[in-house]
């Protein structure tokens, strides 16, 4: 049986986190990719489960060794998907990454078999309602997230599959069908 590396992307509030989390709860043959980071662990975070917490020196060394499918720097800390973890895990299970568009496209460059899935909202209005409804961001943050929507959606032609999340269970089933079909 072939195992799949899948990158799931989409605008903030589209439901990709809920879709990925539900798949991980329902399927034993799929695991979430664990990223490396140079930031300090937050309370309750477990090394190897939430992230691999490593030093900046080790991160930079692993960049030089090409051990990341993708990586980026945010607020002075590095984050990246370790190629070694993905390759080892793919021997026994499929791997799903919830990742932004830039990271997904970079992962595809380094791992051409990576299946790219973009989750889209049924409409801009619905996406705005979801962002407001979850109550985790202020007005400025919501506007910032919506402003990124245009760029993210402009990259959809580079994706292997597009799923409109107008019904959560249907979207979950569609992603599972892609995993099984690939």
């Amino acid at each position: 049986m072939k195992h799949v590396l899948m990158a799931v992307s989409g605008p903030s509030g589209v439901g990709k986190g809920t879709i990925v989390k539900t798949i991980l709860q329902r399927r034993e043959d799929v695991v979430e990719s664990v990223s490396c980071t140079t930031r300090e662990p937050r309370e309750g975070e477990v090394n190897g489960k939430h992230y691999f917490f490593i030093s900046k020196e080790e991160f930079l060394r692993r960049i030089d060794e090409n051990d990341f499918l993708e990586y980026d720097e945010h607020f002075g800390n590095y984050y990246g998907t370790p190629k070694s973890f993905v390759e080892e895990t793919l021997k026994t299970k499929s791997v799903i990454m919830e990742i932004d568009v830039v990271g997904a496209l970079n992962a595809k460059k380094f791992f051409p078999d990576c299946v790219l899935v973009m989750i889209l909202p049924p409409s801009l209005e619905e996406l705005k309602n979801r962002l407001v409804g979850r109550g985790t961001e202020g007005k400025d943050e919501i506007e910032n997230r919506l402003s990124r929507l245009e760029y993210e959606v402009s990259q959809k032609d580079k994706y292997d599959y597009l799923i409109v999340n107008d019904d959560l269970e249907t979207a979950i089933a569609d992603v599972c069908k892609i995993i099984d079909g690939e």
Side-chain angles (χ1 to χ4, degrees), residues 97-155:
M97 302 181 291
E98 181 188 341
I99 193 167
D100 69 12
V101 170
V102 173
L105 296 175
N106 282 334
K108 183 82 167 181
K109 276 192 262 183
F110 290 106
F111 200 98
D113 290 340
C114 182
V115 177
L116 303 183
V117 177
M118 182 174 281
I119 309 296
L120 297 166
S123 68
L124 181 59
E125 191 61 34
E126 175 61 22
L127 182 64
K128 191 170 185 177
N129 289 340
R130 290 178 189 179
L131 286 170
V132 170
R134 67 185 189 183
T136 56
E137 294 96 2
K139 184 179 178 181
D140 289 344
E141 180 70 15
I142 289 171
E143 292 304 318
N144 184 36
R145 291 180 184 274
L146 289 172
S147 71
R148 293 183 55 195
L149 173 71
E150 187 176 330
Y151 167 74
E152 291 168 334
V153 173
S154 76
Q155 302 301 302

Side-chain angles (χ1 to χ4, degrees), residues 19-66:
I19 291 168
V20 169
K21 186 171 91 175
T22 303
I23 291 169
L24 294 170
Q25 290 169 345
R26 293 181 184 175
R27 295 187 62 148
E28 293 182 10
D29 62 330
V30 180
V31 298
E32 186 169 24
S33 176
V34 179
S35 295
C36 292
T37 185
T38 59
R39 76 162 171 76
E40 291 296 314
R42 295 184 183 126
E43 188 174 328
E45 288 182 327
V46 177
N47 188 48
K49 179 179 179 185
H50 299 101
Y51 286 97
F52 293 110
F53 296 98
I54 62 175
S55 68
K56 184 176 181 179
E57 294 73 27
E58 181 179 347
F59 200 102
L60 295 174
R61 178 183 56 77
R62 289 173 73 172
I63 289 172
D64 289 341
E65 294 171 355
N66 293 317

